């Protein structure tokens, strides 16, 4: 019987895990190495603090309605896209509302997590922690690792000859970046064009003498703002779009995707991506196209080598007098506290059953929470994982035998081992993954059943945003406010914009209702298909949150 659960980390996944444990009647103890909750969203000016932190100007990539915990909406007066201060305020309100902080031990580092000698029968773990120099040993029935995948900066210095031996300027990883003040008047080279690299290039261009952005990837740039000004993830991450992706031929969806990407601006003209490329990444950035168009940021290919003060690129060009090289090259994950037999088997989330449970263990009492990169909010995915994992611990949700879990894991592993920093190892469809775990936990909503009992809600679920509230309609943890939250999510989206109201004869709400009614036959067909067949695939427009 699982009773006492160790939760490692008090970020989004850790807080959700503590709450889920309490809902299942378990006794969680959360160990947090810092002095506060929030994980990566706990901003600090210091670069010496342990762990990875967001930079001062960061804004969430996913909107508040698509990023909240499933039974706790963001305040309606919060903007749709959030600075770190409001995300942290939300975490604190969530923790107070559900009385989570009394289960958190701050400034406590987990040194080791090891199986007890009788693990094959008990499933118990010995957890050693350190608080202010004092070590303690604890015995727990289960462990939830909630440290996420932003842990160790990835610095591929060996790929850039001369950066260590010859280059005289400053070099740093984006983890050390806090704001622009230290870069005023300097010539800066940013290496890497992920979401962070794009953001920092734009921000630095306002104060730096010149900013160069080096990339070796084909990259499509999208905006958080969709047609008519609505949050992009609310418009695109719908079950209707997801079904179309599954039904239409991949060649056709590929052409639609490329046309959509280029509808804002031609990426080939900007040197960002070729329409003929089969490999590409997507980043969220409203300002980068204008910075490229105005020359504030200059796009460059991959760096071939560094000299004392310059960077030589693979196309043969050279940029002189580089003062700072800023590596926005991502992160590796690691679990140094786990015993070697467990740690060595976790290469990426493909090594875990449904990205949560190590399949080789005799007892399913270790859950890895948040080791995912979704086409939507990681926070929402982490909460879903925690709900399922605590259900397994409590005994009402069952896992297959280890042999079956191992067989499924082996199917998902790529034929060639990739570099651990490649985020493609972690990325998967938001709706596909959420529905898969929800089905395991017995909390997946049925569109076809709702069409018979509550057509208004069914249409909102199918054609509207696949927001987290959908997973609180049925099953354990059902929330009585879920229906109202779904039907009012657009009002909460528009509320913070109503600071100056102007007259408008159009009625968007009634128009949307008529559209849904006209699409009722499609919804009935889709409900049948969703209940009968699996839905692989992914929504191409939404992007992960930091």
């Amino acid at each position: 019987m699982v009773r006492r659960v160790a939760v490692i980390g008090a970020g989004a996944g850790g807080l959700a895990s503590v709450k889920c444990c309490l809902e299942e009647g378990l006794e969680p103890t959360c160990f947090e190495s810092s002095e506060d909750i929030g994980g990566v969203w706990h901003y600090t000016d210091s670069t010496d603090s342990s762990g990875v932190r967001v930079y001062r100007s960061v804004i969430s990539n996913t909107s508040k309605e698509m990023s909240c915990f499933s039974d706790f909406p963001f305040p309606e007066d919060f903007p749709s896209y959030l600075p770190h201060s409001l995300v942290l305020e939300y975490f604190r309100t969530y923790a107070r509302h559900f009385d989570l902080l009394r289960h958190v031990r701050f400034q406590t580092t987990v040194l080791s997590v090891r199986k007890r000698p009788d693990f094959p029968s008990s499933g118990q773990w010995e957890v050693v922690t350190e608080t202010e120099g004092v070590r303690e040993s604890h015995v727990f029935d289960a462990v939830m690792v909630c440290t996420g995948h932003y842990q160790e900066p990835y610095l591929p210095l060996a790929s850039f000859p001369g950066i260590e031996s010859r280059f005289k300027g400053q070099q740093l990883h984006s983890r050390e970046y806090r704001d622009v003040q230290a870069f005023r008047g300097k010539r800066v080279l940013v290496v890497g064009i992920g979401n962070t690299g794009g953001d920092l290039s734009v921000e630095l261009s306002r104060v730096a003498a010149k900013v160069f952005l080096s990339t070796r990837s084909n990259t499509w740039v999208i905006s958080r703002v969709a047609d008519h000004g609505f949050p992009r993830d609310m418009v695109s991450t719908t079950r209707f779009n997801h079904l179309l992706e599954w039904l239409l031929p991949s060649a056709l969806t590929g052409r639609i995707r490329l046309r959509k990407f280029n509808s804002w601006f031609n990426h080939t003209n900007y040197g960002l991506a070729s329409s003929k490329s089969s490999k590409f990444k997507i980043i969220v950035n409203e300002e980068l196209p204008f910075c490229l168009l105005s020359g504030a940021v200059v796009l460059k290919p991959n760096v071939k080598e560094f000299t004392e003060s310059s960077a030589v690129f693979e196309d043969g060009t050279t940029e002189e007098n580089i003062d700072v090289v800023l590596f926005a090259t991502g992160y590796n994950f690691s679990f140094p506290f786990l015993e070697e037999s467990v740690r060595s088997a976790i290469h990426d989330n493909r090594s875990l059953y449904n990205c949560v449970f190590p399949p080789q263990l005799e007892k399913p009492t270790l859950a890895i929470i948040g080791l995912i990169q979704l086409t939507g909010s990681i926070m929402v995915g982490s909460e879903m994982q925690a709900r399922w994992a605590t259900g397994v611990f409590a005994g009402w949700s069952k896992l297959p035998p280890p042999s079956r879990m191992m067989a499924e894991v082996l199917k998902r592993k790529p034929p060639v081992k990739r570099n651990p920093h490649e985020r493609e190892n972690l990325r998967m469809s938001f709706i596909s993954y959420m529905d898969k775990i929800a089905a395991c936990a017995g909390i997946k909503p049925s569109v076809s059943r709702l069409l018979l009992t509550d057509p208004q809600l069914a249409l909102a679920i199918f054609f509207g945003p696949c927001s987290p509230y959908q997973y609180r309609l049925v099953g354990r943890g059902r929330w009585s406010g879920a229906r109202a939250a779904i039907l009012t999510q657009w009002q909460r989206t528009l509320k913070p914009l109503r600071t100056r109201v102007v007259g408008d004869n159009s009625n968007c709400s009634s128009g949307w209702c008529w559209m849904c009614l006209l699409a009722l036959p499609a919804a009935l067909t889709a409900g049948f298909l969703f209940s009968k067949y699996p839905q692989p695939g992914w929504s191409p427009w939404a992007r992960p949150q930091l």
Side-chain angles (χ1 to χ4, degrees):
M1 290 290 295
V2 170
R3 175 63 61 181
R4 301 183 68 236
V5 181
V7 178
I8 304 175
L15 292 174
S17 295
V18 170
K19 176 178 176 290
C20 291
C21 283
L22 295 174
E23 289 176 335
E24 295 296 342
L26 307 175
E27 299 174 3
T29 301
C30 180
F31 300 106
E32 170 56 45
S33 60
S34 71
E35 74 286 353
D36 202 354
I37 62 173
V40 297
W41 289 100
H42 180 207
Y43 172 79
T44 173
D45 288 321
S46 173
T47 59
D48 297 328
S49 60
S50 61
V52 177
R53 299 287 186 265
V54 293
Y55 40 92
R56 186 191 298 276
S57 62
V58 76
I59 299 291
S60 64
N61 286 341
T62 49
S63 64
K64 67 176 183 180
E65 292 299 313
M66 302 296 286
S67 304
C68 63
F69 293 119
S70 56
D71 59 351
F72 198 75
F74 276 91
E76 64 176 10
D77 59 338
F78 275 27
S80 284
Y81 291 102
L82 302 150
H84 60 79
S85 58
L86 292 184
V87 176
L88 188 58
E89 181 180 334
Y90 171 76
F91 287 157
R92 287 174 174 156
T93 305
Y94 178 80
R96 287 193 300 268
H97 182 81
F98 293 107
D99 195 20
L100 306 181
L101 294 182
R102 64 189 177 94
H103 300 280
V104 182
R105 292 183 55 178
F106 291 107
Q107 295 184 310
T108 300
T109 302
V110 174
L111 301 179
S112 68
V113 176
R114 300 184 179 279
K115 292 185 284 188
R116 299 259 294 166
D118 61 348
F119 182 85
S121 58
S122 70
Q124 290 184 327
W125 300 84
E126 181 179 2
V127 179
V128 177
T129 62
E130 183 176 76
T131 308
E132 296 181 349
V134 178
R135 294 194 176 190
E136 294 182 78
S137 180
H138 320 260
V139 175
F140 287 98
D141 302 313
V143 176
M144 303 179 77
V145 178
C146 306
T147 52
H149 55 83
Y150 295 104
Q151 295 172 28
E152 297 180 355
Y154 175 69
L155 264 175
L157 299 181
S159 301
F160 302 100
I163 186 66
E164 293 182 285
S165 60
R166 286 178 285 175
F167 184 65
K168 302 297 185 182
Q170 182 185 5
Q171 55 172 295
L172 68 158
H173 189 272
S174 58
R175 177 191 180 277
E176 303 171 71
Y177 179 89
R178 289 296 176 266
D179 56 39
V180 299
Q181 299 308 318
F183 301 87
R184 191 173 299 275
K186 296 184 177 180
R187 290 170 61 85
V188 183
L189 170 62
V190 179
V191 178
I193 197 175
N195 284 309
T196 299
D199 284 350
L200 298 189
S201 297
V202 168
E203 184 167 329
L204 289 168
S205 70
R206 301 187 181 108
V207 300
K210 198 68 178 179
V211 175
F212 304 96
L213 176 57
S214 170
T215 176
R216 61 182 180 182
S217 306
N218 279 285
T219 305
W220 299 96
V221 183
I222 64 173
S223 170
R224 296 173 180 85
V225 185
D227 296 342
H228 308 293
F230 291 110
R232 181 171 298 276
D233 55 357
M234 292 187 71
V235 173
S236 62
T237 310
T238 71
R239 294 184 179 278
F240 176 70
N241 289 345
H242 185 62
L243 180 63
L244 286 180
E245 281 269 319
W246 177 57
L247 291 175
L248 295 176
S250 58
L252 178 58
T253 57
R255 287 197 295 270
I256 294 173
R257 184 183 305 135
L258 295 179
R259 183 170 181 176
K260 184 70 175 178
F261 287 153
N262 277 324
S263 64
W264 184 20
F265 68 95
N266 189 302
H267 286 67
T268 302
N269 290 344
Y270 283 63
L272 285 163
S274 167
S275 299
K276 298 179 181 179
S277 174
S278 59
K279 293 184 177 180
F280 55 86
K281 66 170 66 173
I282 309 169
I283 68 170
V284 178
N285 200 302
E286 293 76 27
E287 298 179 74
L288 182 59
F290 176 73
C291 287
L292 294 172
L293 193 63
S294 65
V297 175
V298 177
L299 196 65
K300 302 293 293 186
N302 194 43
V303 178
K304 179 182 178 181
E305 63 176 334
F306 285 93
T307 66
E308 290 188 354
S309 61
S310 63
V312 181
F313 300 92
E314 290 183 345
D315 63 354
T317 61
T318 301
E319 295 297 342
E320 304 285 351
N321 302 318
I322 300 296
D323 298 303
V324 184
V325 179
L326 178 59
F327 288 96
T329 46
Y331 297 87
N332 292 330
F333 69 87
S334 66
F335 307 113
F337 44 81
L338 290 179
E339 68 172 62
E340 173 61 23
S341 64
V342 179
R343 183 177 68 247
S344 61
I346 305 176
H347 305 296
D348 54 35
N349 62 19
R350 299 171 192 245
S351 306
L352 304 170
Y353 179 67
N354 286 346
C355 304
V356 176
F357 290 100
Q360 73 276 15
L361 297 179
E362 299 92 332
K363 295 287 185 178
T365 56
L366 175 65
I368 310 297
I369 305 298
L371 190 63
I372 45 175
Q373 188 85 354
L374 301 175
T375 57
S377 170
I378 297 174
M379 191 164 84
V380 175
S382 297
E383 184 200 27
M384 178 62 75
Q385 290 179 326
R387 292 178 68 186
W388 177 45
T390 52
V392 171
F393 295 159
W396 61 261
S397 184
K398 303 296 183 182
L399 294 181
S403 58
R404 278 182 54 194
M405 291 193 289
M406 282 294 296
E408 184 167 331
V409 165
L410 290 174
K411 286 181 185 178
R412 296 177 63 239
K413 282 193 173 183
V416 179
K417 186 175 180 181
R418 303 181 181 183
N419 293 328
H421 70 283
E422 290 185 355
R423 311 236 60 85
E424 287 76 15
N425 286 350
L426 308 175
R427 185 172 298 125
M428 61 197 77
S429 161
F430 178 78
I431 294 180
S432 290
Y433 185 73
M434 291 289 288
D435 276 358
K436 183 177 185 179
I437 304 303
C440 292
I443 56 177
K444 179 184 175 183
S446 170
V447 177
S448 55
R449 187 177 295 117
L450 282 172
L451 278 170
L452 300 176
T453 60
D454 193 341
Q456 181 186 13
L457 180 60
L459 292 171
I461 286 176
F462 185 68
F463 291 103
C466 185
S467 47
Y469 320 118
Q470 295 189 12
Y471 300 100
R472 289 286 180 175
L473 291 168
V474 297
R476 295 178 68 87
R478 179 179 177 181
W479 176 42
S480 60
R483 182 182 188 275
I486 293 169
L487 297 179
T488 57
Q489 55 196 344
W490 288 110
Q491 288 93 310
R492 285 191 302 278
T493 300
L494 296 176
K495 176 68 185 322
L497 299 175
R498 301 303 193 192
T499 54
R500 178 177 179 265
V501 180
V502 295
D504 191 347
N505 294 326
S506 65
N507 190 329
C508 295
S509 178
S510 63
W512 183 84
C513 291
W514 277 110
M515 180 195 73
C516 289
L517 289 173
L518 291 173
L520 183 59
L524 289 167
T525 303
F528 170 75
L529 289 170
F530 260 63
S531 62
K532 189 173 181 61
Y533 300 107
Q535 303 85 42
W538 58 288
S539 174
W541 320 125
R543 290 298 300 142
Q545 181 175 353
L546 264 173

